[in-house]
Amino acid sequence: MTSSAIQSTGFTLRKILSYFPQDVSLAFAYGSGVFRQSGTKQSQIGNNMLDFVFAVDDPITWHTMNMTRNRNHYSFLKYFGSKQISVLQNNYGAGIYYNTLVPCDGKMIKYGVVSTDNLIKDLLHWKTLYVAGRLHKPVKILTQNENGKLHTALISNLKSAVTAAFLMLPESFSEEELYIQIAGLSYSGDFRMILGEDRSKVLNIVKANMSHFQKLYSNMLEECPQVVYKHQQGRLEIDKSPEGQFTQLMALPRTLQQKITALVDPPGKNRDVEEILLQVAQDPDCGIVVELGISGIVKSSSLSQSAKGILTAGVKKTVSYSMRKMFKMWKGWRRKDS
């Protein structure tokens, strides 16, 4: 994507943002409507749906204001009021409420609303890895307030992604292989990758956006004491000793550590987390155990969020959205076969 195209997209995205209540702690756009993927022509990007996430401090007030402005964005749930919508948003699925297939300023958009507190928890602990996983990949930040906790959590999330990827990679690997591993974290265990998504999606995201991934992670890799980052050659080497892997396991988000513990520790033993992670660090299949732990988090949140999506979108939009996803998957298969 050329710099002029990026600037043009940025203007379009900020204009769309102006149609919504401005009381947001973080707003970002992501996906194929913002960042080109391999196999997609530049001219096709403008036809893709634009995806947004808005983090808000007070979901009830935000939804009240948004329903005053954009009542037609909501499904039948609008009749239950903003309080019930916020309860559904916060307590079910992945803690995010999506309105999808919304016409806005000549574009088709989808936007999710998440509470700032829930977002920070997901970034720090990977409770659902839903929004946190999207932020492992390049996004277009449209606005961000001066919330120090949120800023720290965003950086922590990127560091956790690098650490998890290190545990699943061999001792030496390319920069592209690292970013493919990172980009794939939030798709691991997601049932939509079997039905409804182009299975080449992760590779397509990385190949077309290497410079954006480098902007996110290069400084972090330069400063990481556990990696030798040969920037010019695009190669990395990491410490795969039991001691090195134990340090990485201890730095993982809490929910992932708990998932790993549940996989390894037989019922009734009740050993502490540190003891179990020390055992995993010495296991040749350490990376597989980490991947299974991540899959467990993603599988649970993707299933529950998709079920919630039927309510938040309504049946008609759900069918239409699913058909779009199936068409994209079919196009991916055709590209692969040709």
Side-chain angles (χ1 to χ4, degrees), residues 170-215:
E171 188 173 7
S172 177
F173 48 90
S174 71
E175 200 170 352
E176 183 180 86
E177 287 171 324
L178 172 64
Y179 299 144
I180 288 170
Q181 194 75 64
I182 288 172
L185 293 175
S186 62
Y187 296 117
S188 178
D190 190 337
F191 77 98
R192 293 170 299 179
M193 292 303 287
I194 302 169
L195 185 66
E197 288 285 10
D198 177 359
R199 277 175 274 188
S200 305
K201 184 169 185 170
V202 174
L203 187 61
N204 293 340
I205 289 170
V206 174
K207 279 192 171 296
N209 295 286
M210 278 294 291
S211 61
H212 294 297
F213 276 95
Q214 288 170 332
K215 190 175 179 182

Side-chain angles (χ1 to χ4, degrees), residues 317-329:
K317 282 188 176 182
T318 298
V319 171
S320 179
Y321 183 69
S322 299
M323 291 301 291
R324 281 172 168 244
K325 286 288 187 183
M326 293 294 287
F327 181 63
K328 282 179 75 174
M329 181 177 69

Side-chain angles (χ1 to χ4, degrees), residues 24-45:
V24 295
S25 58
L26 176 71
F28 66 87
Y30 65 96
S32 59
V34 183
F35 295 93
R36 188 177 70 83
Q37 296 181 10
S38 292
T40 304
K41 294 177 182 175
Q42 186 70 49
S43 57
Q44 292 176 302
I45 294 179

Side-chain angles (χ1 to χ4, degrees), residues 148-168:
K149 286 184 179 178
L150 177 57
H151 178 73
T152 300
L154 286 164
I155 295 170
S156 176
N157 181 49
L158 296 179
K159 288 181 177 177
S160 295
V162 169
T163 302
F166 282 173
L167 285 160
M168 292 186 282

Side-chain angles (χ1 to χ4, degrees), residues 80-219:
F80 293 91
S82 57
K83 186 175 181 180
Q84 290 307 312
I85 283 174
S86 297
V87 168
L88 182 65
Q89 173 189 308
N90 291 325
N91 299 338
Y92 298 92
I96 187 166
Y97 186 101
Y98 271 105
N99 284 325
T100 190
L101 293 177
V102 173
C104 185
D105 200 44
K107 299 285 186 180
M108 191 65 74
I109 73 167
K110 176 181 79 176
Y111 64 94
V113 184
V114 61
S115 80
T116 307
D117 285 345
N118 278 347
L119 174 58
I120 290 172
K121 287 174 187 173
D122 196 32
L123 293 168
L124 292 176
H125 307 306
W126 287 11
K127 184 179 178 183
T128 69
L129 246 183
Y130 202 86
V131 181
R134 276 150 181 75
L135 286 161
H136 291 161
K137 297 174 278 292
V139 302
K140 179 76 174 176
I141 302 287
L142 302 174
T143 185
Q144 182 179 346
N145 69 13
E146 297 300 315
N147 186 322
K149 286 184 179 178
L150 177 57
H151 178 73
T152 300
L154 286 164
I155 295 170
S156 176
N157 181 49
L158 296 179
K159 288 181 177 177
S160 295
V162 169
T163 302
F166 282 173
L167 285 160
M168 292 186 282
L169 286 162
E171 188 173 7
S172 177
F173 48 90
S174 71
E175 200 170 352
E176 183 180 86
E177 287 171 324
L178 172 64
Y179 299 144
I180 288 170
Q181 194 75 64
I182 288 172
L185 293 175
S186 62
Y187 296 117
S188 178
D190 190 337
F191 77 98
R192 293 170 299 179
M193 292 303 287
I194 302 169
L195 185 66
E197 288 285 10
D198 177 359
R199 277 175 274 188
S200 305
K201 184 169 185 170
V202 174
L203 187 61
N204 293 340
I205 289 170
V206 174
K207 279 192 171 296
N209 295 286
M210 278 294 291
S211 61
H212 294 297
F213 276 95
Q214 288 170 332
K215 190 175 179 182
L216 270 180
Y217 292 104
S218 282
N219 288 344

